[in-house]
Amino acid sequence: MKLSQIRYFVVVAEELHFGRAARRLHRSQPPVSRQIRLLEEELGVELFKRNTQSVTLTHAGKVFLREIQPVLNTIEHATDAAKRAAAGHIGTLSIGMTASIMFGILPRILTEFRQRYPDVVVNLRLATKAEQLAAVKECRLSVGLVRSLSQDPDLCHEALLDEPLEVAMGPSNPLAAKAQIQLKDLANEGFILYRGHSPTSVADKIISACHTAGFSPRIVQETDDMQSAAALAALGIGVTLIASSLKQLGLPGLVCRPVLQGTVPLTIRLYAVYMRSEISTELTAFLSLVRIMCQANQPESPV
């Protein structure tokens, strides 16, 4: 029994007219009639009573229609689901991120992705960069979103967006009176920096930028994330550099000002990290949307 024969039978049963059924099926009438006869021969029953005036279902035909219609609907649903899954519209996507990324463009990306792909289950996991890299390699995460590169050759790093950095400080700091701040103006300030120094870490990028500006930062406190650094800065413990989107934290006493090196704003880069050998259709769809939305939000003068 062929699926096409079942489809032909259902349409003929609905139309009770071979000519109209053939037109609905975009076929000529003889092939439709032939397939119905072959189906009847295989079943060993007559499904239709035919004469020159009308076509009607036999009792066997009515029972067969009642039983086969749900089966056909299930097959058509499964076929559609398979095609949608192949296009990335159905499945599961596990996304890792550091907490600070939740205050940037990511919420808009997730909203848009869920609207476009409502049948893809999105699992979010807050994790440090090291935790994300390990989870991506072990296929527990589809993709990680981090603010610095790793040196692992097994991982693919894709630059997505350069976000402006801002100086975060308490309201009593004299620099809070400025509309924008040159990095060199922070030479005498105590810095709150991030742990985990490496040649590609956020902390080392800040230290390198300070060296370019002509000074070595005096570190008074280290912390694990930008939110903690911003909270300590708001208390007057020192100054720190945070992604501009973290101003949305709304911490009491937190003052943020754009930071420049000469005429160029300092920025921090956002990366997608994934295994090149484990790119699913869901991840392909997600990365495509991320690229489009990040490009639309790219600052004019990234560094």
Side-chain angles (χ1 to χ4, degrees):
M1 186 184 305
K2 296 179 180 179
L3 182 59
S4 60
Q5 292 174 332
I6 296 173
R7 288 197 176 103
Y8 287 6
F9 165 75
V10 170
V11 174
V12 174
E14 290 173 347
E15 295 291 341
L16 294 178
H17 190 284
F18 278 85
R20 288 196 299 270
R23 286 193 291 274
R24 270 184 60 184
L25 293 164
H26 304 289
R27 297 287 188 273
S28 60
Q29 184 174 332
V32 175
S33 299
R34 183 168 57 253
Q35 291 301 317
I36 295 298
R37 284 197 301 272
L38 290 172
L39 179 60
E40 289 176 322
E41 290 174 5
E42 183 173 349
L43 294 174
V45 298
E46 187 180 39
L47 298 172
F48 295 99
K49 287 187 178 296
R50 311 162 177 85
N51 57 46
T52 57
Q53 301 297 321
S54 65
V55 176
T56 59
L57 282 165
T58 64
H59 177 63
K62 292 177 181 178
V63 172
F64 186 65
L65 177 63
R66 184 185 67 209
E67 297 296 327
I68 205 66
Q69 184 73 70
V71 175
L72 182 60
N73 291 341
T74 299
I75 292 173
E76 290 177 344
H77 176 76
T79 301
D80 178 65
K83 291 179 179 178
R84 293 174 65 213
H89 289 264
I90 297 177
T92 301
L93 188 67
S94 299
I95 304 170
M97 71 200 74
T98 57
S100 66
I101 294 172
M102 283 301 298
F103 296 93
I105 192 175
L106 184 61
R108 282 179 285 154
I109 291 174
L110 292 175
T111 298
E112 181 67 22
F113 185 79
R114 283 182 164 128
Q115 289 176 348
R116 294 190 185 192
Y117 304 96
D119 293 323
V120 174
V121 177
V122 178
N123 296 319
L124 302 178
R125 178 183 171 189
L126 291 177
T128 65
K129 173 187 169 182
E131 290 170 339
Q132 288 187 61
L133 299 184
V136 168
K137 289 195 69 172
E138 295 168 7
C139 298
R140 291 182 286 112
L141 283 179
S142 308
V143 61
L145 299 174
V146 298
R147 293 195 184 275
S148 61
L149 293 168
S150 81
Q151 296 176 315
D152 192 322
D154 294 331
L155 296 174
C156 179
H157 294 74
E158 182 174 342
L160 300 175
L161 179 71
D162 291 299
E163 184 177 356
L165 283 170
E166 297 206 7
V167 180
M169 68 196 98
S172 62
N173 192 309
L175 293 174
K178 293 190 173 186
Q180 57 186 22
I181 297 171
Q182 287 289 331
L183 184 60
K184 65 182 181 180
D185 294 339
L186 302 178
N188 296 321
E189 299 292 328
F191 272 72
I192 303 165
L193 275 188
Y194 311 109
R195 294 189 181 95
H197 292 205
S198 73
T200 60
S201 69
V202 173
D204 269 46
K205 288 183 178 181
I206 292 173
I207 292 171
S208 177
C210 291
H211 288 167
T212 300
F215 70 97
S216 294
R218 178 171 57 88
I219 301 173
V220 296
Q221 181 71 50
E222 288 191 324
T223 186
D224 292 318
D225 54 68
M226 287 189 178
Q227 293 94 312
S228 299
L232 292 171
L235 294 174
I237 304 299
V239 301
T240 191
L241 299 185
I242 62 172
S244 62
S245 57
L246 264 74
K247 290 186 293 186
Q248 298 176 48
L249 282 169
L251 293 173
L254 182 65
V255 177
C256 296
R257 296 290 182 265
V259 58
L260 307 177
Q261 193 152 40
T263 60
V264 181
L266 289 181
T267 62
I268 186 170
R269 185 160 289 175
L270 176 64
Y271 296 91
V273 183
Y274 51 90
M275 293 288 287
R276 197 182 302 275
S277 59
E278 299 292 337
I279 302 180
S280 64
T281 51
E282 296 85 7
L283 178 56
T284 298
F286 177 74
L287 290 175
S288 177
L289 178 62
V290 168
R291 293 179 191 116
I292 292 170
M293 294 188 68
C294 284
Q295 183 61 39
N297 285 269
Q298 187 69 40
E300 293 183 2
S301 302
V303 294

